[in-house]
Amino acid sequence: MRKNKKGFTLIEIIVVILAVLMAVAVPSVLKYLNTAQEAPALTECHAIVTAAQKRVIEKYSQNHDDEITLDEADNQWIEDFVDKGGSILETDVKNKEVTKILYKASNGLLVLYENNEYKIIDDEEISYFKSAQTMMQLANKLEKENDIKADVNGNNNNGESSKKPGWSYKLQKAFKEQNNGQYPKLNEEEQKTLKDGNYNGDPNALVWKPMYAKDGTVILLADTKGSAGSNALAVMLYYNNQYYVNQFANFGYRTTYVQEATLEFDENGVPINPDDKNFWVKLDK
């Protein structure tokens, strides 16, 4: 008996054709949409870099200081000058030349300018490009916005004991909230510095944690602990635009215990621990 051979229906053929077209067209459309978003973000960042270089030249003409830096006020001036609605997350200037800018464009895309190149980066990558300089600016900003300024008598300006909770705890809490509930990790260059210094721990496990020194100054500690609190096990310290590492003789970098409101500075601005005075060493970066 002869069996009926059933072919494809018209609807099935149309479905197959549409599936093939979608497979070809969707990647192209997505690529087009991404390009359409990236182009204005890159253009904005280019304008930001140009304005930043203009700002550097203006500052140098005023004071002829070869060590020009761009602070938060300068970043605000640059953003206002370009007037696109984006925000500068980090800048780096070397030899009177803008060498790096991390910029969040008005459409939310993150753009990194470095080595004379522009590229779009993901949110997950941002911690690898942010440095302690950016984190310190954030900590100082949060301190003002949240009115957390500590005094040297062990009380914050609300009259509460520094231990219930401590000044550092309040600042750390606000700091974490601005970093998706986590302390930010050290960036790639900072981690490499520790590896080169024979640090025997895992640099990728370290996080930047703000804390108050004895005189109420905000410092950043590269801490092995991820919890908020009044102490830290730190291997690197950032203060006054300078990195310091805790180095014991020639045995490489090591962690040291730092208690809130105990760390002081000598006449040269070098940090010292009460029980560990000779081990914070200035890094030439």
Side-chain angles (χ1 to χ4, degrees), residues 69-93:
T69 59
L70 294 174
D71 57 23
E72 192 172 336
D74 294 316
N75 291 346
Q76 187 63 57
W77 182 93
I78 295 165
E79 291 170 8
D80 292 343
F81 183 83
V82 174
D83 194 23
K84 291 294 184 180
S87 57
I88 297 171
L89 303 179
E90 182 169 350
T91 61
D92 193 14
V93 180

Side-chain angles (χ1 to χ4, degrees), residues 36 105 172 203:
Q172 289 161 5

Side-chain angles (χ1 to χ4, degrees), residues 243-254:
Y243 290 93
Y244 297 86
V245 289
N246 198 53
Q247 185 169 10
F248 179 71
N250 295 317
F251 298 107
Y253 304 158
R254 62 165 197 169

Side-chain angles (χ1 to χ4, degrees), residues 64-268:
H64 298 286
D65 182 3
D66 289 332
E67 299 298 323
I68 295 291
T69 59
L70 294 174
D71 57 23
E72 192 172 336
D74 294 316
N75 291 346
Q76 187 63 57
W77 182 93
I78 295 165
E79 291 170 8
D80 292 343
F81 183 83
V82 174
D83 194 23
K84 291 294 184 180
S87 57
I88 297 171
L89 303 179
E90 182 169 350
T91 61
D92 193 14
V93 180
K94 294 179 181 177
N95 299 321
K96 303 185 292 295
E97 181 179 350
V98 177
T99 57
K100 174 183 172 184
I101 284 185
L102 184 59
Y103 176 71
K104 187 171 186 178
S106 57
N107 62 6
L109 291 184
L110 294 167
V111 186
L112 175 69
Y113 168 77
E114 193 172 33
N115 299 323
N116 293 316
E117 294 181 353
Y118 297 83
K119 69 175 181 178
I120 304 294
I121 64 171
D122 297 328
D123 288 339
E124 291 78 10
E125 294 181 90
I126 194 168
S127 63
Y128 289 99
F129 298 105
K130 279 187 173 181
S131 69
Q133 178 192 30
T134 304
M135 299 305 169
M136 180 63 83
Q137 290 174 354
L138 174 61
N140 289 328
K141 180 181 178 182
L142 292 171
E143 182 188 38
K144 294 176 183 177
E145 289 179 350
N146 293 276
D147 199 24
I148 311 174
K149 184 66 178 179
D151 62 36
V152 295
N153 297 316
N155 298 311
N156 64 24
N157 57 357
N158 294 320
E160 299 170 339
S161 167
S162 65
K163 296 181 180 179
K164 299 181 181 179
W167 339 317
S168 297
Y169 177 83
K170 289 191 173 185
L171 181 58
Q172 289 161 5
K173 183 179 178 182
F175 190 72
K176 286 180 69 175
E177 288 174 354
Q178 289 293 313
N179 286 283
N180 299 318
Q182 298 179 339
Y183 290 116
K185 291 185 176 183
L186 279 63
N187 69 17
E188 194 171 20
E189 183 180 355
E190 292 161 347
Q191 290 186 31
K192 183 178 183 300
T193 297
L194 292 179
K195 290 178 182 177
D196 292 345
N198 295 321
Y199 172 57
N200 60 7
D202 179 10
N204 190 49
L206 297 170
V207 293
W208 283 120
K209 182 175 173 180
M211 187 176 286
Y212 283 105
K214 187 174 182 178
D215 64 357
T217 300
V218 177
I219 58 174
L220 282 181
L221 296 168
D223 183 29
T224 59
K225 297 169 58 179
S227 58
S230 59
N231 58 70
L233 279 172
V235 65
M236 183 183 281
L237 181 152
Y238 185 82
Y239 160 74
N240 197 25
N241 295 319
Q242 181 62 53
Y243 290 93
Y244 297 86
V245 289
N246 198 53
Q247 185 169 10
F248 179 71
N250 295 317
F251 298 107
Y253 304 158
R254 62 165 197 169
T255 56
T256 188
Y257 182 77
V258 181
Q259 179 71 29
E260 176 188 52
T262 60
L263 190 136
E264 302 178 73
F265 306 96
D266 67 15
E267 63 275 9
N268 297 315

